[in-house]
Amino acid sequence: MNRFALAISSAIARVTESALGPYQTAVIRIGFAATWLLFLLREFPHRQEMYGPDGPWDFDLAQQLIGTNGSFTALIWSSGGFWFETVYVFAVLTSVLLLLGWRTRTMSVLFMVGVLSLQNRSIFMGDGGDNVLHLMCVYLVFTRCGQVWSLDERRARRSSAAHARGERIAPDRMGPALWSVLGFVLVAVTAAGRLDGDLTVPLILWLVWLSLGVWWIVGRRARTAEPRILLDVIGNIVHNGALLVIMAEACLIYATAGWYKIQGSRWQDGTAVYYPLHLDYFSPWPALADLLSSSGAMVMLITYGTVLVQVAFPFTLFNRRVKNVLLAAMITEHAVIAVVLGLPFFSLAMIAADAVFLPTTFLRRLGGWAARARERLSRLARRGDDPAAPTGPRAPENPEHAHVGFPA
């Protein structure tokens, strides 16, 4: 009984004392922000036809649909072209800032607003990748996804270093200014009745805005450390809960996809992969598709292998080695789908969702490789400008930093 109680207390301490998976959540943040950003940039010439006033799903139809399902979209607030362009640029900008990790807590909320505004405006334009992005943009709001590999982490690290040297740290002015502006907009939109409908998104917006205000007040005015510790514990619990939901969602996607495939006759006889390879819509490289489908054994192997991996993956999470092998197989499968079937954004979204299961050691090693490559490029650039310029050592990355000002 004592051993069981000790295990329970250790688990509670682990969940409350730290935000787990900092590298995994950073990869999820970068992956989904990059996926949405690349999609918006690729479809920029066609934006009016997809989500704007020139699309087949016109403003009146969108109003009727939103009035029925109560979904949130800022594009229903006005039918003007200028407003549509503003929202589209807003979605691009928030994707860039979330990708870089600048004010990640705020940007994750604004990123969600951009994604939902465009997707809910024309729901028939999406595919499976859009559905995953739709869900994950909501889950990201509750994670502390800026702990590593972000501008927030770099700012906090520099502030901690300056504090250790005894230097005076300038107060955070951008955070309160951003909070005040967004609060004014939120109050105005709510008073105008623009947030009527389903209460999920308005509740998230108000909850995050109020929590950021409480966080700043406690950080500035609290006389003891206990209030800040309490807020950290609450933030860690919310983060870890959201991370668990993301993992469960990814497992649910693969489990349902695999079990539905088992019921299909083409998946049972091993020929299902053959048919999409010969559809013009899914054949950007016909020669490559013909090469893959020319071997019946290869088609059968890929068909059965896809079902096996998707059904088995949720059951392998407690065996690290087997899980990593299946995870590599699924990521490779999505990369092949992106090239052979011409579905890059669906594949990017699924790979970003898979990243939550990547080992921390691998991600840290990957971050080290990226840091060394960036350092070499910076050294080469400095040498190009000044051959005699010295190159100093890079400060080691410290993921266990203290948040300064508004939380990341």
Side-chain angles (χ1 to χ4, degrees):
M1 185 64 182
N2 291 334
R3 185 178 302 176
F4 177 75
L6 181 61
I8 294 296
S9 62
S10 299
I12 294 175
R14 181 173 174 79
V15 171
T16 58
E17 291 178 356
S18 63
L20 303 177
Y23 292 93
Q24 286 80 0
T25 49
V27 172
I28 293 173
R29 183 199 85 231
I30 295 171
F32 282 109
T35 300
W36 184 238
L37 175 63
L38 293 174
F39 175 79
L40 294 178
L41 294 179
R42 191 194 72 168
E43 300 299 339
F44 188 81
H46 316 291
R47 64 192 185 283
Q48 295 282 353
E49 291 79 11
M50 294 185 64
Y51 303 113
D54 296 337
W57 194 255
D58 60 20
F59 187 78
D60 292 336
L61 291 175
Q63 276 188 320
Q64 296 178 29
L65 181 62
I66 298 302
T68 301
N69 59 23
S71 299
F72 170 84
T73 171
L75 289 178
I76 208 67
W77 298 349
S78 174
S79 60
F82 177 77
W83 176 245
F84 167 76
E85 299 293 346
T86 301
V87 173
Y88 200 93
V89 173
F90 169 83
V92 172
L93 180 61
T94 54
S95 300
V96 172
L97 295 178
L98 184 63
L99 176 65
L100 297 177
W102 184 80
R103 307 285 173 176
T104 50
R105 181 67 71 184
T106 301
M107 287 305 120
S108 63
V109 178
L110 299 182
F111 176 77
M112 178 192 70
V113 170
V115 172
L116 298 183
S117 294
L118 291 175
Q119 289 191 353
N120 289 338
R121 168 62 175 82
S122 301
I123 61 174
F124 301 107
M125 300 300 299
D127 57 15
D130 294 308
N131 293 335
V132 174
L133 180 62
H134 192 105
L135 294 171
M136 294 300 177
C137 75
V138 178
Y139 301 152
L140 267 178
V141 173
F142 301 97
T143 64
R144 306 179 95 170
C145 55
Q147 296 181 97
V148 297
W149 300 342
S150 67
L151 296 179
D152 288 340
E153 185 269 338
R154 187 181 69 169
R155 185 179 69 253
R157 177 160 35 90
R158 290 180 175 180
S159 298
S160 299
H163 180 74
R165 294 192 300 266
E167 299 177 1
R168 181 179 180 274
I169 302 175
D172 180 20
R173 302 184 185 278
M174 178 58 69
L178 190 62
W179 181 83
S180 301
V181 172
L182 294 178
F184 174 79
V185 174
L186 184 58
V187 170
V189 170
T190 304
R194 300 298 187 180
L195 295 182
D196 295 342
D198 186 78
L199 296 178
T200 302
V201 174
L203 184 61
I204 292 175
L205 296 177
W206 276 104
L207 182 62
V208 174
W209 184 74
L210 292 174
S211 64
L212 288 178
V214 172
W215 190 287
W216 185 83
I217 292 174
V218 169
R220 296 277 295 185
R221 304 298 182 184
R223 297 181 179 180
T224 62
E226 284 77 7
R228 179 59 183 269
I229 294 175
L230 176 61
L231 291 181
D232 271 329
V233 169
I234 295 174
N236 292 335
I237 293 174
V238 172
H239 165 92
N240 295 329
L243 189 62
L244 179 62
V245 171
I246 291 174
M247 297 172 68
E249 187 70 46
C251 290
L252 185 62
I253 290 173
Y254 284 116
T256 53
W259 287 106
Y260 271 111
K261 286 182 175 66
I262 289 177
Q263 302 175 41
S265 59
R266 299 306 179 192
W267 291 97
Q268 293 175 6
D269 60 26
T271 62
V273 173
Y274 175 86
Y275 298 99
L277 293 174
H278 292 274
L279 295 175
D280 293 337
Y281 185 79
F282 295 112
S283 299
W285 313 99
L288 182 59
D290 292 339
L291 179 63
L292 289 177
S293 61
S294 61
S295 172
M298 178 64 71
V299 171
M300 184 178 65
L301 181 63
I302 295 175
T303 302
Y304 288 150
T306 299
V307 176
L308 177 63
V309 168
Q310 291 183 348
V311 172
F313 178 74
F315 301 99
T316 64
L317 295 182
F318 298 101
N319 189 311
R320 183 176 302 178
R321 293 183 178 179
V322 178
K323 181 263 294 183
N324 290 339
V325 171
L326 293 186
L327 185 60
M330 289 193 301
I331 293 176
T332 302
E333 176 189 356
H334 289 304
V336 172
I337 290 174
V339 176
V340 177
L341 298 182
L343 297 172
F345 301 109
F346 165 78
S347 298
L348 283 175
M350 292 307 303
I351 291 174
D354 294 340
V356 71
F357 300 106
L358 290 173
T360 300
T361 54
F362 169 75
L363 292 176
R364 296 188 67 171
R365 190 177 298 116
L366 185 64
W369 293 339
R372 285 191 291 271
R374 182 182 61 187
E375 186 177 355
R376 292 192 188 99
L377 292 176
S378 178
R379 188 183 299 118
L380 291 175
R382 289 196 299 267
R383 288 178 179 177
D385 296 335
D386 184 5
T391 57
R394 183 179 66 88
E397 181 180 355
N398 180 18
E400 299 296 335
H401 63 273
H403 294 286
V404 179
F406 279 72

